[in-house]
Amino acid sequence: MKISAGYFTREAFSSFKKNIVQSIAAVTTVALCLVIVGIILLVMFVGGQVIRKIEDKVEIEIFMEGLDGPAQAATAGANPVNRWNQMEQLGNTIRSWPEVHKVDYISKEEALRKFKKDFSNSPLVVQQIEGNPLPASYRVGLNNPREVETIAKRIKDLPYIKELTLNPDENVKFGQDTVRKLFQVTRWISLAAVGFATLLIFVSLVLITNTIRLAIFARRKEIGIMRLVGASSWFIRWPFILEGMLEGLSGAVVAIFVLTSLWRTFFANLATGKVFAFLSFNFDQVTFVKLLLLLALSGAAIGAAGSFIALRRFLKI
Amino acid sequence: MIRLKNVSKIYDGDKPALVEVNIAVTKGEFVFLVGPSGSGKSTFIRLLLREFLPSRGDIFVAGQDVIHMRPWKVPYLRRNIGCVFQDFKLLTNKTTFENVAFALEVIGRSRATINNQVPEVLKLVGLEDKLDSYPDELSGGEQQRVSIARAFANRPPILLADEPTGNLDPATSLGIMTLLQRINRTGTTVLIATHDREIVDSMRKRVIALEAGKVVRDQLKGVYGYEN
């Protein structure tokens, strides 16, 4: 096989050069398709990070008929100390669940401070507030935002919850509609992206197949003789497969070059946070290099598969 | 070496090309396959090469069951069969040497074997001084010699020739036949499809005559036997 490897490579390169116009057409097509696929993958990745950030903001809020610390509790209503204990117990119970990664207590005072800050642009609203009508609350953050509904349901079944919130259905909140829609949208977006990428890969496959078919046609006499004297099918195939891989890989290299430039000018800025600063996602170099390798591999695979398909008819025995 | 049992071949929706053919050719025989155009000679040869399968019947070539052979084994069958055609089928961009070497290259023979074997076989066909000539620099007879050298380079036990002298003048044809006879004397089974009456009549070898796909005559030391 030693001489064969050299022979295959020579044949592949010489055929690539002989049909240079066709080869360039195939390379360009693969490059264009892979650039678009690459962009889709990049957007999907960045989008995924953005979505994860949004999902991380999903939390359950438990509004309680509020007491602000044991001191105030002492002065309010019947058996306030007991109420305060119940609240602490509730917080601790939720905190102990493995699905929960944090439980923050927001006191009435803190809630008011926050409200005033949020509405600092509209002083009229702030002025209208008399006293402190805001309730105290727990904010529950989850490890997996998709579990938000079940956890919320479990919270509603906890002891004291009725006493503390008066109406659990209304006062244990997690914005279920928004959450559901969010998950739905993200699923559709990824499905559409994958579908589009598949379509593009199919297009480049068809074009490579056509190019190789022309190369084969130009050499059909040679192939006929090879078959006549008993060359094995793989022996005949290899040069064409290599040629296809060469075209696919060249296309991938062009695509990688284009994507790197794009990445430098656009996505890198995005990542350093000028555009979506609040999301501050971290798109590291390693992931990017992995993506480029994936593209190179796809290019070669598309080329090889295209050649294989193109040869089928010519090698039918 | 070659055996056909009740072989029929019918091309799609056409009248049969071969009908119930029974033939046995033993090792080292020299056989002419004669008959008018369309009598099934080419079909016969292509069946031996397993370019396609017969509609019915069994075929054995060089000890192998051609009908039940797995497709990937077909190339190895063909390495046992040298093949010569009326139109030579030479690669015009390769020299005499390269054309013969190509046949050995593509079945994975080593460089050393090729450098050794190609000049030898070209000497056998009398072209030792035309190694670097391209096909269009050679006469028709010389081109056919190259193609015979290519077919025989791998020393196959069987040599098939489909109208090898169809494009050549009578004197040259005789030379080609003499060459094929010489190859036959090395123990190679030779089967020639032809309608060259003079040659068949002068050589007095075994003659199998086909007519409309049927074997109408199988005769040792036979003659062409048609008036055409």
Side-chain angles (χ1 to χ4, degrees):
Chain A
M1 259 348 231
K2 235 181 283 164
I3 50 157
S4 302
Y7 165 85
F8 295 150
T9 323
R10 267 199 315 280
E11 289 293 311
F13 273 94
S14 85
S15 177
F16 184 90
K17 269 187 280 180
K18 244 183 257 169
N19 308 295
I20 189 71
V21 177
Q22 282 302 321
S23 303
I24 289 174
V27 169
T28 316
T29 316
V30 176
L32 278 175
C33 291
L34 286 183
V35 164
I36 299 175
V37 170
I39 291 176
I40 289 175
L41 288 179
L42 275 175
V43 168
M44 261 173 81
F45 189 87
V46 172
Q49 290 235 343
V50 172
I51 285 163
R52 217 159 306 134
K53 290 279 170 199
I54 295 174
E55 284 180 1
D56 282 348
K57 291 198 190 296
V58 171
E59 50 189 19
I60 304 169
E61 286 187 302
I62 308 166
F63 296 105
M64 290 163 293
E65 276 319 298
L67 304 158
D68 243 358
Q72 198 196 340
T75 61
N79 206 356
V81 179
N82 196 25
R83 266 176 85 85
W84 177 252
N85 286 341
Q86 287 174 353
M87 255 169 89
E88 277 206 312
Q89 216 170 343
L90 180 74
N92 287 336
T93 311
I94 297 172
R95 213 171 270 125
S96 72
W97 292 343
E99 298 93 332
V100 171
H101 86 93
K102 67 168 192 204
V103 177
D104 291 335
Y105 177 68
I106 315 280
S107 66
K108 280 175 76 78
E109 258 173 54
E110 228 176 309
L112 185 66
R113 233 187 347 263
K114 233 174 156 193
F115 180 86
K116 279 181 176 162
K117 201 175 135 210
D118 287 350
F119 285 86
S120 57
N121 287 334
S122 13
L124 268 177
V125 178
V126 177
Q127 274 168 29
Q128 298 220 325
I129 297 178
E130 285 172 33
N132 186 353
L134 298 172
S137 64
Y138 277 127
R139 289 189 172 198
V140 182
L142 302 175
N143 289 322
N144 179 3
R146 279 161 209 269
E147 287 172 337
V148 69
E149 279 197 82
T150 32
I151 302 294
K153 213 166 157 206
R154 216 191 296 166
I155 290 173
K156 283 179 201 169
D157 292 337
L158 285 176
Y160 316 133
I161 198 84
K162 239 191 166 118
E163 292 89 326
L164 289 169
T165 62
L166 295 183
N167 182 358
D169 281 335
E170 217 164 85
N171 289 327
V172 178
K173 287 190 170 166
F174 63 94
Q176 38 274 67
D177 291 345
T178 325
V179 169
R180 245 180 245 143
K181 249 178 221 153
L182 179 68
F183 291 149
Q184 231 167 37
V185 166
T186 55
R187 210 179 57 227
W188 280 113
I189 288 176
S190 352
L191 268 179
V194 167
F196 195 50
T198 313
L199 188 74
L200 282 167
I201 286 185
F202 181 72
V203 166
S204 25
L205 193 65
V206 167
L207 279 148
I208 283 231
T209 304
N210 267 327
T211 314
I212 296 288
R213 195 166 281 160
L214 284 168
I216 295 166
F217 198 69
R219 296 179 53 196
R220 63 193 182 286
K221 196 177 169 190
E222 223 168 301
I223 293 175
I225 292 168
M226 286 165 99
R227 291 187 47 200
L228 199 67
V229 300
S232 69
S233 296
W234 274 106
F235 189 95
I236 300 172
R237 244 179 228 137
W238 269 118
F240 292 106
I241 302 254
L242 284 181
E243 187 186 344
M245 282 171 80
L246 188 66
E247 285 168 356
L249 211 56
S250 310
V253 168
V254 174
I256 284 169
F257 183 76
V258 172
L259 281 173
T260 315
S261 321
L262 269 180
W263 157 254
R264 289 235 174 92
T265 55
F266 183 65
F267 284 105
N269 275 341
L270 212 67
T272 52
K274 280 175 194 135
V275 189
F276 292 118
F278 69 98
L279 293 165
S280 70
F281 52 90
N282 36 14
F283 193 90
D284 54 314
Q285 296 289 330
V286 178
T287 318
F288 186 62
V289 170
K290 267 190 204 153
L291 177 85
L292 296 187
L293 280 177
L294 179 72
L295 285 184
L297 220 66
S298 324
I302 290 170
S307 298
F308 194 86
I309 295 168
L311 275 161
R312 265 189 326 190
R313 196 160 55 92
F314 289 86
L315 287 181
K316 216 180 271 164
I317 292 174
Chain B
M1 194 49 77
I2 299 170
R3 195 147 49 93
L4 280 77
K5 276 197 334 207
N6 306 321
V7 171
S8 296
K9 174 70 188 176
I10 302 160
Y11 294 110
D12 296 331
D14 214 349
K15 60 181 186 326
L18 287 178
V19 184
E20 292 291 312
V21 172
N22 285 288
I23 296 272
V25 176
T26 52
K27 188 174 179 328
E29 265 194 283
F30 191 106
V31 183
F32 282 118
L33 190 64
V34 303
S37 302
S39 58
K41 301 193 297 284
S42 290
T43 302
F44 187 101
I45 290 208
R46 296 176 73 186
L47 281 174
L48 298 185
L49 286 169
R50 204 205 178 277
E51 287 196 27
F52 40 67
L53 289 168
S55 312
R56 273 191 306 281
D58 282 314
I59 302 175
F60 297 89
V61 174
Q64 296 179 66
D65 182 344
V66 173
I67 310 301
H68 300 104
M69 179 176 284
R70 295 194 169 276
W72 67 266
K73 276 197 166 172
V74 171
Y76 300 93
L77 167 75
R78 291 185 184 156
R79 291 178 192 187
N80 289 318
I81 309 171
C83 216
V84 178
F85 294 93
Q86 182 172 5
D87 59 357
F88 319 137
K89 293 196 195 293
L90 298 177
L91 295 169
T92 50
N93 58 346
K94 288 191 195 299
T95 64
T96 300
F97 183 93
E98 287 165 350
N99 262 291
V100 179
F102 181 70
L104 294 173
E105 238 169 65
V106 300
I107 58 171
R109 292 286 178 272
S110 73
R111 212 5 87 185
T113 312
I114 291 170
N115 287 337
N116 188 13
Q117 223 157 325
V118 175
E120 199 178 297
V121 74
L122 280 171
K123 199 172 166 207
L124 177 76
V125 301
L127 287 176
E128 62 268 41
D129 52 351
K130 303 267 184 172
L131 297 185
D132 298 323
S133 307
Y134 287 89
D136 56 5
E137 296 164 356
L138 299 171
S139 70
E142 286 169 334
Q143 288 188 46
Q144 191 59 294
R145 282 166 191 273
V146 176
S147 112
I148 291 171
R150 183 181 62 196
F152 193 57
N154 189 38
R155 305 292 153 116
I158 298 171
L159 191 80
L160 301 179
D162 193 359
E163 303 281 2
T165 58
N167 282 349
L168 305 173
D169 60 73
T172 315
S173 299
L174 209 60
I176 293 293
M177 283 303 168
T178 313
L179 174 59
L180 290 174
Q181 215 173 347
R182 200 184 311 152
I183 284 172
N184 171 240
R185 262 186 239 121
T186 67
T188 310
T189 309
V190 176
L191 188 135
I192 303 168
T194 184
H195 53 235
D196 194 327
R197 152 190 299 276
E198 277 172 48
I199 282 191
V200 175
D201 285 351
S202 69
M203 288 179 75
R204 307 301 298 228
K205 299 286 185 184
R206 179 178 172 188
V207 173
I208 297 167
L210 283 173
E211 222 169 295
K214 290 190 185 115
V215 177
V216 294
R217 182 158 53 93
D218 185 351
Q219 181 178 28
L220 292 175
K221 298 195 175 174
V223 291
Y224 190 82
Y226 291 98
E227 289 308 318
N228 66 305

